[in-house]
């Protein structure tokens, strides 16, 4: 039996669905082949089940610690009914799988095949052979093929690991009993989320980490999370390389031997969870037969337009080895359909890719880290704002974390933002009726360049921005006539001036980071600041640098802690450069 389509897709996750939807809207015939559970990783074993359990664990943690955070509140956290929790998680997974995948496929009407797919034919005339569960084989011929098979949990060849048995992030979320103790191997986002999840459900958790927590993020992230984990009773052992795993049947434990800074140490736990990475799923696809190249970990090697070494075969999502986020996969899928059928010639660009790890507090980042900026030969103007200075965090009684901005010291362009914060404390924009707007001076070309870079970075990060360049002399009059709660002017050196309605004009504190909340951070009605700024500006240029450094320190140490809040105003302070 042979069938003919415009696009044949192997896989049924986010990348596959995005490609199928876009190709269908372009009037193309589509067939989707799935050998396992319909819907891919996110809904079945990734985003949905993990975040559902993380939310449940967070609720238990909040109940356990509410009395310490908020005087007058008395709560307790009982033991977890794990079978009920897992059952509710699975109900949610099945509901969303039906709603977001099965029903969508039905609505668009593309064809679906269940079975194992493998390439056959020749590189010039590739086809797919699909073997159904009953052994029947169907040959599918298509103009274009998309491999969107995702990735799966991977375990390194540690001596004794397979024999002893271990959990992955998938099987861990199927446990019907909370382990008394749990060893987690790894320090990436899966390891961090799973370690804290089970600790909050009641396990005694130890993390064995080769380098540091969240090693691909800013070092401040690692430090902040290690402190959080210590407060929650999670032990973190760094520089640990597991060398042997065995099961002690008498004690009902797994024993992991690890090399720690040249010495050996044993760790005992009821269960061990391996979270040391994922590998693309390409085994069995017979890619060599159609001359599709793969990389060292099995990933399909693609161009920036996601085309493989065979021009009729494309790849999208985790199977490419690109960043493993469902929104990246969805973007990939749409891009492939448009490149294949509309000659769009679109390319992937991760320069401003946002990323989140759902620990508590969460890690949120976009763009480059300080190390990446320096490695690129760019002089960095980097600033860190502890959450002790963010009013929303103070109100929440949770100041664990920070906000860090990484900027180009020459141009003021924001190159990266990182935050560790409880989600309600992270700046939230985009609420109905909210608009981030400002005026900036056009009298100085440096101000125009800085403002353009600032706006570009904020819009790329998802903010709604309205800016207006006007002569400086007109700004005060425009602001007084505005009905906005808060307006700002971006000065040529990166200072942010802020005028709430009816207040006098004074410089708001700016620390080179982004800060916002449901409250105004207040404004310094101190002539001392104006006088000190004018004094420094009058100095020769070569003498100003050290004086501005002293001035910045004075702001942080003397003024910022004392700023009053003003309820009812929404203030945003943005900038990229404090005077150097």
């Amino acid at each position: 039996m042979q069938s003919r389509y415009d696009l044949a897709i192997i896989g049924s996750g986010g990348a596959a669905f995005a490609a199928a939807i876009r190709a269908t809207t372009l009037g193309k015939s589509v067939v989707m082949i799935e050998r396992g559970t319909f819907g891919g990783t996110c809904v079945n074993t990734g985003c949905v089940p993990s975040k559902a359990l993380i939310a449940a664990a967070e609720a238990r943690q909040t109940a356990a610690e509410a009395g310490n955070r908020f005087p007058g509140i008395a709560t307790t956290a009982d033991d977890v009914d794990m079978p009920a929790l897992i059952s509710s998680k699975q109900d949610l997974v099945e509901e969303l799988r039906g709603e977001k995948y099965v029903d969508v496929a039905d609505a668009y009407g593309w064809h679906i095949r269940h079975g194992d797919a493998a390439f056959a034919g020749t590189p010039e005339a590739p086809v797919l052979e699909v073997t159904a569960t009953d052994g029947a084989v169907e040959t599918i011929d298509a103009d274009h093929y998309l491999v969107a098979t995702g990735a799966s949990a991977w375990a390194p060849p540690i001596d004794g690991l397979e024999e002893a048995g271990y959990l992955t992030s998938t099987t861990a979320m199927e446990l019907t009993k909370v382990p008394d103790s749990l060893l987690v191997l790894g320090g990436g986002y899966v390891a961090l989320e799973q370690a804290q999840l089970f600790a909050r459900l009641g396990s005694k958790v130890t993390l064995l980490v080769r380098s540091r927590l969240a090693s691909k993020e800013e070092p401040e992230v690692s430090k902040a999370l290690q402190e959080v984990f210590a407060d929650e009773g999670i032990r973190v052992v760094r520089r640990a390389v597991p060398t042997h795993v065995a099961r002690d049947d008498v004690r009902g434990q797994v024993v992991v031997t690890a090399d720690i800074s040249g010495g050996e140490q044993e760790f005992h736990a009821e269960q061990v969870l391996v979270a040391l990475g994922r590998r693309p799923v390409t085994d069995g696809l017979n890619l060599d037969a159609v001359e599709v190249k793969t990389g060292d970990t099995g990933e399909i090697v693609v161009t920036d337009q996601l085309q493989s070494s065979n021009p009729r075969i494309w790849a999208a999502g985790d199977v490419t080895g690109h960043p493993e986020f469902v929104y990246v996969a969805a973007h990939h899928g749409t891009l492939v359909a448009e490149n294949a059928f509309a000659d769009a010639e679109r390319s992937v660009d991760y320069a401003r890719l946002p990323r989140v790890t759902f620990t508590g507090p969460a890690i949120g980042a976009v763009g480059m880290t300080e190390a990446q900026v320096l490695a690129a030969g760019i002089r960095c103007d980097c600033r860190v704002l502890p959450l002790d200075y963010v009013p929303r965090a103070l109100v929440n009684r949770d100041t664990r974390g920070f906000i860090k901005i990484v900027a180009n010291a020459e141009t003021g362009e924001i190159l990266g933002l990182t935050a560790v914060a409880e989600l309600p404390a992270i700046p939230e924009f985009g609420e109905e009726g909210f608009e981030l707007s400002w005026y900036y001076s056009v009298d100085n070309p440096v101000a125009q360049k800085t403002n353009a870079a600032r706006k570009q970075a904020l819009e790329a990060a998802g903010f709604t921005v309205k800016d207006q360049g006007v002569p400086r002399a007109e700004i005060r009059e425009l602001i007084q006539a505005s009905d906005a709660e808060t307006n700002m002017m971006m000065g040529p050196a990166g200072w942010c001036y802020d005028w709430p309605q009816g207040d006098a004009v004074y410089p708001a504190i700016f620390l080179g980071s982004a800060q916002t909340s449901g409250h105004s951070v207040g404004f310094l009605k101190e002539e001392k600041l104006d006088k000190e700024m004018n004094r420094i500006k009058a100095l020769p240029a070569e003498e100003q640098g050290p004086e501005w450094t002293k001035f910045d320190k004075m702001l942080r140490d003397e003024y910022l802690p004392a700023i009053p809040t003003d309820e009812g105003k929404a203030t945003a302070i943005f900038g990229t450069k404090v005077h150097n």
Side-chain angles (χ1 to χ4, degrees):
M1 176 180 177
Q2 183 164 346
S3 304
R4 173 77 184 169
Y5 296 90
D6 294 316
L7 178 63
I9 303 172
I10 310 174
S12 64
F17 261 70
I21 290 171
R22 186 66 182 119
T24 301
T25 60
L26 290 171
K28 304 302 178 181
S29 59
V30 176
V31 62
M32 182 177 288
I33 305 125
E34 174 57 60
R35 69 178 181 183
T37 305
F38 203 65
T41 297
C42 182
V43 71
N44 290 306
T45 60
C47 326
V48 171
S50 66
K51 277 46 180 186
L53 293 179
I54 286 170
E58 182 182 14
R60 184 176 187 272
Q61 181 73 8
T62 299
E65 65 180 18
N68 296 326
R69 287 174 61 187
F70 302 101
I73 300 294
T75 57
T76 59
D78 294 334
D79 291 340
V80 177
D81 182 345
M82 200 65 171
L85 181 60
I86 296 300
S87 177
S88 68
K89 177 266 298 181
Q90 193 58 34
D91 288 344
L92 177 64
V93 166
E94 292 174 6
E95 176 185 347
L96 292 180
R97 183 196 304 135
E99 200 174 287
K100 305 298 183 182
Y101 290 86
V102 176
D103 292 350
V104 170
D106 287 344
Y108 278 92
W110 63 72
H111 293 188
I112 297 171
R113 300 287 188 273
H114 294 279
D116 286 292
F119 282 100
T122 67
E124 295 75 24
V127 295
L128 280 176
E129 291 184 346
V130 181
T131 305
T133 53
D134 62 1
V137 177
E138 177 184 3
T139 300
I140 292 177
D141 185 14
D143 290 337
H144 292 274
Y145 300 88
L146 172 61
V147 181
T149 48
S152 60
W154 171 81
I158 301 172
D159 182 40
L161 180 62
E162 292 293 336
E163 294 79 6
Y166 60 92
L167 298 171
T168 66
S169 59
T170 299
T171 57
M173 292 188 292
E174 299 298 329
L175 293 175
T176 55
K177 172 185 177 297
V178 178
D180 293 331
S181 54
L182 178 68
L183 272 173
V184 178
L185 310 186
Y189 68 95
V190 173
L192 298 177
E193 291 181 357
Q194 293 284 315
Q196 191 175 49
L197 161 64
F198 280 98
R200 289 181 167 186
L201 292 179
S203 291
K204 182 179 180 180
V205 176
T206 300
L207 266 166
L208 302 185
V209 185
R210 184 180 292 271
S211 57
R212 60 180 175 87
L213 301 180
S215 60
K216 294 182 180 179
E217 300 295 346
E218 298 280 11
E220 291 90 347
V221 171
S222 305
K223 183 176 182 295
L225 280 187
Q226 187 144 347
E227 292 173 356
V228 168
F229 281 11
D231 289 343
E232 295 190 11
I234 302 171
R235 182 186 178 191
V236 177
V237 182
R238 295 183 56 196
R239 310 297 177 192
V241 180
T243 57
H244 180 73
V245 181
R247 183 164 292 277
D248 184 342
D249 292 327
V250 176
R251 301 174 63 180
Q253 291 185 329
V254 176
V255 182
V256 175
T257 303
D259 182 357
I260 302 174
S261 301
E264 281 193 348
Q265 187 173 341
E266 287 187 351
F267 298 87
H268 299 254
E270 182 181 339
Q271 296 275 13
V272 58
L273 191 160
V274 178
L276 292 167
R278 297 172 65 80
R279 292 291 184 269
V281 178
T282 52
D283 290 344
L285 293 177
N286 199 25
L287 296 172
D288 289 341
V290 287
E291 295 184 358
V292 172
K293 294 180 180 178
T294 57
D296 294 340
T297 61
E299 77 278 10
I300 294 179
V301 178
V302 292
T303 66
D304 288 344
Q305 296 182 358
L306 301 178
Q307 195 169 39
S308 78
S309 51
N310 186 316
R312 290 176 58 187
I313 300 174
W314 308 72
D318 295 354
V319 76
T320 63
H322 289 206
E324 295 179 346
F325 300 105
V326 68
Y327 44 88
V328 170
H331 176 67
H332 279 189
T334 301
L335 186 149
V336 165
E338 293 182 350
N339 285 345
F341 298 113
D343 297 323
E345 297 185 354
R346 293 178 57 196
S347 298
V348 293
D349 180 6
Y350 304 122
R352 296 181 178 88
L353 176 69
R355 52 196 184 274
V356 178
T357 300
F358 289 88
T359 49
I363 308 167
V366 62
M368 303 172 75
T369 63
E370 180 177 354
Q372 290 170 336
V373 169
L374 295 175
I378 302 170
R379 191 163 68 89
C380 182
D381 186 8
C382 304
R383 307 282 170 161
V384 178
L385 177 69
L387 292 192
D388 303 270
Y389 298 136
V390 176
R392 179 61 183 268
L394 293 170
V395 168
N396 290 347
R397 309 287 179 97
D398 189 351
T399 57
R400 300 173 298 171
F402 64 91
I403 300 170
K404 179 173 183 177
I405 188 170
V406 176
N408 185 322
E410 301 297 333
T411 66
E413 180 185 4
I414 298 173
L415 301 175
L417 289 164
T418 298
V420 171
E422 281 295 342
L423 292 179
I426 296 176
E428 294 181 8
F429 293 93
E431 294 181 5
E432 186 175 356
F434 184 90
E435 182 179 78
L436 175 61
S437 63
W438 64 71
Y439 298 104
Y440 67 95
S441 171
V442 294
D443 300 330
N444 188 314
V446 178
Q448 298 179 50
K449 187 174 183 180
T450 302
N451 182 78
R454 200 178 275 122
K455 180 181 180 181
Q456 179 187 22
L458 292 172
E459 288 180 333
F463 298 110
T464 300
V465 174
K466 179 182 179 182
D467 65 329
Q468 183 176 350
V470 297
R472 182 182 179 117
E474 298 178 13
I475 290 180
R476 185 183 181 95
E477 182 178 347
L478 287 168
I479 287 175
Q480 289 174 340
S482 171
D483 60 359
E485 290 181 332
T486 303
N487 291 278
M488 3 178 172
M489 180 193 76
M490 296 301 182
W495 282 91
C496 167
Y497 293 86
D498 201 318
W499 294 272
Q501 295 300 304
D503 282 349
V505 178
Y506 288 95
I509 283 203
F510 169 65
L511 298 178
S513 292
Q515 175 177 322
T516 186
S517 69
H519 309 278
S520 165
V521 295
F523 306 93
L524 295 173
K525 295 178 172 57
E526 287 279 350
E527 292 186 7
K528 176 182 176 182
L529 289 179
D530 289 329
K531 291 179 179 178
E532 182 64 6
M533 289 171 64
N534 291 331
R535 180 190 72 79
I536 297 173
K537 289 178 183 178
L539 295 173
E542 64 272 11
E543 296 179 15
Q544 289 188 16
E547 295 301 313
W548 285 123
T549 300
K550 294 177 185 177
F551 184 77
D552 295 342
K553 187 175 187 303
M554 176 184 69
L555 289 178
R556 292 182 179 87
D557 295 347
E558 298 180 23
Y559 287 91
L560 188 58
I563 293 179
T565 60
D566 181 9
E567 300 225 357
K569 296 177 185 287
T571 298
I573 298 181
F574 286 94
T576 57
K577 185 178 180 183
V578 174
H579 300 277
N580 292 317

